[in-house]
């Protein structure tokens, strides 16, 4: 199951830099994960400084 980014995202970009399949991009209010590209590796979740990423 793909990960999701909550509204507590501070748009720092560290998650996008860690994504091996480039599934994370800047959205309207915060970064978002493309569920079709996400391979559920967890690299982004481990990198998030505010804990805004979790399993969907």
């Amino acid at each position: 199951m793909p990960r999701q980014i909550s509204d507590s995202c501070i748009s720092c970009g560290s998650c996008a830099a860690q994504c091996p399949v480039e599934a994370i991009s800047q959205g309207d209010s915060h970064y978002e994960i493309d569920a079709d590209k996400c391979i559920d590796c967890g690299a982004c979740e481990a990198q998030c400084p505010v804990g805004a990423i979790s399993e969907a």
Side-chain angles (χ1 to χ4, degrees):
M1 176 164 297
R3 312 266 168 179
Q4 64 184 7
I5 301 177
S6 73
D7 289 340
S8 60
C9 171
I10 59 171
S11 296
C12 68
S14 35
C15 58
Q18 290 299 312
C19 183
V21 294
E22 299 180 356
I24 304 173
S25 61
Q26 178 66 51
D28 291 336
S29 59
H30 58 74
Y31 276 80
E32 297 176 351
I33 298 174
D34 182 335
D36 293 331
K37 290 182 180 179
C38 180
I39 59 171
D40 198 30
C41 67
C44 60
E45 186 175 1
Q47 187 65 31
C48 183
V50 295
I53 303 173
S54 61
E55 290 186 44

